[in-house]
Amino acid sequence: MNKLDNLVAQAKDILRTNDLGGYTVPTKGLYPFQWNWDAGVTALGWLYVDELRAWTEFEKLFEGQWENGMVPHIVFHQESDDYFPGPDQWKVEGNPPTTSISQPPLLATMVRIIYEQSKDKELAQAKLDALMPKLIRYHEWWYRERDPETTGLVSSYHPWESGMDNSPAWDDVLHRVPQVNRPYQRRDLNHVDSKQRPLKEQYDRYIYLVDFFRENDFDYQKIYQNCPFHTQDISLNAVLQRGTIDLIHLNTLASVAADMTSLEASVAKAEEVFPSLWDAERHLFLNRDQALEKAIPVSTSGGFMPLYSYSATPEQAALMAAEIKEWLVLGPSGLASTSPLESTFDAKRYWRGPSWLHINWMIVDGLKHYGHEDVAEQLRQASRAIIEQSGYFEYFDPITGEGCGGKDFSWTAAIALHWLL
């Protein structure tokens, strides 16, 4: 078996190993449940193993959808003591139980890719028709409950909701969140070196927010008005924008079309607002601190995500492509999650520096859309090299290519199957 065949076989084995009967855990031990945006990415990988199983990943996730349309960031299909905070901490009533926050809504885009690339067209049509009402409710939830004033940008209330948990972009906002004063026991440090994970002072605030949501009865109006962590995350908004555009397209392919007028208006409104987050000196987009009503001056990979949503002007895209090329000089092993020039850059600590394959893939998709094939290929080759060097880790040191975080990671294997192998 040659190197390529071996990488493909390893990636498929990881998906099978992490399959717990219709849903895929990110990795055994560290993350023993089904995560929202992980599921979307992982479904792409299943397309190359078992087409029906790819659709099942979505179906299992939507078992946790709330009546208001939200798809939570974790669905607790079965019990496990390996993760904190578990369902006993979130206290969301449901079968299955879930968390009370969401994650970047990649699902519609992943459904579109799988639908278009599926071989069993009859199966794909049936699955699309069944998923469409659920996807529409999910996107309507984002605009209704996370942008109640129709600003064009949705809000997020927890660093975990961004998917970029301990990004330096959240430091100042998170510092305004009180530290929880009750004892608790983290489980992540039983599986991963503490130098690669968020700090205790950050976790204290993460858990305070979990309690805050529960104490406010998960009421979106109370949370919108009073949550001490309130951001408009450029990456999450870009994922939502791309997802809604893809959902509108999927509606034209569904057997029964729905009225998408409201979602079309939301896309148009977001397009008007995105330019306000552009930073002409940093050559990327910035997150917004909603409480202070100002941009957060930290350069992260999320700032390039409007490439993925096709929300940048050609001039902005060219500047971002050049900026990405400079980042790759400083960190050649994939795109750093935080600029290597930021004082807060930490090459191995979760979202404070490491490179993540699914982010690399999304940004390459955007670069190719804008015609920057050279930078796109450079980033693709860098991503392929770290897989060959280190295998399927959760994330990677962008300078050395060393694998970090969880091993045998599902979405890393999935993106490799879809994009690199």
Side-chain angles (χ1 to χ4, degrees):
M1 184 180 293
N2 62 34
K3 180 182 290 187
L4 176 60
D5 290 341
N6 190 48
L7 286 170
V8 169
Q10 287 179 26
K12 291 180 177 181
D13 284 346
I14 287 170
L15 295 185
R16 294 188 185 101
T17 298
N18 291 339
D19 180 9
L20 294 190
Y23 71 95
T24 314
V25 297
T27 188
K28 293 286 183 71
L30 180 61
Y31 301 116
F33 306 111
Q34 187 181 30
W35 263 254
N36 183 327
W37 72 331
D38 292 70
V41 174
T42 300
L44 284 185
W46 277 113
L47 182 62
Y48 300 89
V49 180
D50 181 337
E51 198 167 303
L52 177 61
R53 179 62 184 77
W55 292 109
T56 306
E57 193 72 33
F58 297 116
E59 293 167 344
K60 291 295 290 185
L61 183 69
F62 276 103
E63 288 181 8
Q65 186 170 31
W66 285 25
E67 289 185 6
N68 65 5
M70 184 184 78
V71 181
H73 99 289
I74 304 174
V75 179
F76 301 109
H77 291 290
Q78 61 187 38
E79 296 182 2
S80 174
D81 293 329
D82 281 327
Y83 179 82
F84 179 89
D88 60 317
Q89 300 294 314
W90 293 89
K91 298 189 185 301
V92 173
E93 294 183 5
N95 185 22
T98 71
T99 61
S100 62
I101 58 175
S102 194
Q103 264 187 330
L106 287 169
L107 302 175
T109 301
M110 305 301 110
V111 167
R112 177 176 178 177
I113 293 171
I114 291 172
Y115 178 87
E116 292 177 345
Q117 297 188 7
S118 64
K119 295 178 181 177
D120 188 335
K121 298 303 182 183
E122 184 176 346
L123 173 68
Q125 190 64 51
K127 297 299 185 181
L128 174 65
D129 290 342
L131 285 170
M132 280 300 293
K134 300 172 184 179
L135 287 166
I136 290 170
R137 288 177 56 224
Y138 182 35
H139 282 246
E140 288 176 339
W141 170 83
W142 274 108
Y143 297 113
R144 181 183 66 250
E145 299 201 6
R146 292 308 185 87
D147 186 18
E149 298 180 37
T150 319
T151 66
L153 295 171
V154 300
S155 297
S156 58
Y157 303 130
H158 198 297
W160 291 342
E161 199 156 56
S162 73
M164 301 182 177
D165 305 15
N166 68 331
S167 169
W170 315 137
D171 285 357
D172 288 349
V173 185
L174 192 63
H175 191 70
R176 298 198 294 266
V177 176
Q179 291 178 261
V180 73
N181 56 15
R182 65 180 177 88
Y184 64 89
Q185 183 63 50
R186 292 172 63 172
R187 305 280 161 61
D188 56 318
L189 302 184
N190 296 336
H191 304 280
V192 176
D193 186 337
S194 63
K195 293 178 182 178
Q196 299 177 13
R197 296 291 297 172
L199 302 171
K200 181 184 182 302
E201 64 188 45
Q202 293 168 328
Y203 244 84
D204 286 348
R205 293 176 166 91
Y206 299 159
I207 302 307
Y208 176 91
L209 290 169
V210 171
D211 293 348
F212 172 85
F213 302 140
R214 183 182 65 250
E215 291 164 1
N216 281 272
D217 305 314
F218 314 119
D219 185 306
Y220 80 92
Q221 292 177 323
K222 293 179 183 177
I223 294 170
Y224 183 78
Q225 294 168 357
N226 302 314
C227 187
F229 185 93
H230 191 168
T231 65
Q232 290 175 323
D233 172 5
I234 187 61
S235 178
L236 189 155
N237 274 275
V239 170
L240 176 62
Q241 182 76 345
R242 172 69 179 273
T244 306
I245 291 169
D246 288 330
L247 184 58
I248 291 167
H249 176 75
L250 286 171
N251 188 56
T252 68
L253 305 174
S255 298
V256 179
D259 182 0
M260 305 295 274
T261 305
S262 175
L263 291 178
E264 289 168 350
S266 296
V267 166
K269 183 66 175 178
E271 283 299 305
E272 295 175 7
V273 179
F274 266 85
S276 67
L277 298 177
W278 173 253
D279 189 295
E281 294 184 1
R282 293 173 180 266
H283 296 167
L284 44 66
F285 290 78
L286 295 177
N287 299 291
R288 181 176 169 81
D289 182 332
Q290 185 70 353
L292 300 184
E293 297 184 346
K294 68 176 186 179
I296 299 171
V298 180
S299 297
T300 70
S301 59
F304 300 119
M305 285 295 285
L307 290 167
Y308 170 75
S309 59
Y310 314 151
S311 303
T313 66
E315 293 77 16
Q316 290 168 342
L319 290 168
M320 284 191 281
E323 185 71 13
I324 289 168
K325 202 163 186 175
E326 290 185 18
W327 284 31
L328 290 173
V329 171
L330 299 169
S333 294
L335 188 66
S337 49
T338 300
S339 168
L341 296 177
E342 291 283 355
S343 62
T344 49
F345 173 80
D346 186 334
K348 289 183 172 60
R349 194 180 293 277
Y350 213 37
W351 287 95
R352 301 182 78 83
S355 169
W356 296 71
L357 239 67
H358 68 298
I359 299 295
N360 292 351
W361 167 67
M362 287 188 279
I363 289 173
V364 163
D365 179 90
L367 287 167
K368 292 172 70 175
H369 171 79
Y370 284 98
H372 298 285
E373 298 281 352
D374 57 335
V375 185
E377 182 59 19
Q378 183 182 353
L379 183 50
R380 193 190 78 83
Q381 291 291 349
S383 300
R384 170 71 181 266
I386 54 179
I387 290 297
E388 292 181 347
Q389 173 188 333
S390 298
Y392 297 104
F393 276 83
E394 182 179 5
Y395 45 93
F396 303 86
D397 184 317
I399 298 173
T400 67
E402 177 187 346
C404 303
K407 299 179 181 179
D408 299 329
F409 216 81
S410 294
W411 71 4
T412 308
I415 283 295
L417 287 170
H418 178 67
W419 179 44
L420 298 176
L421 303 177

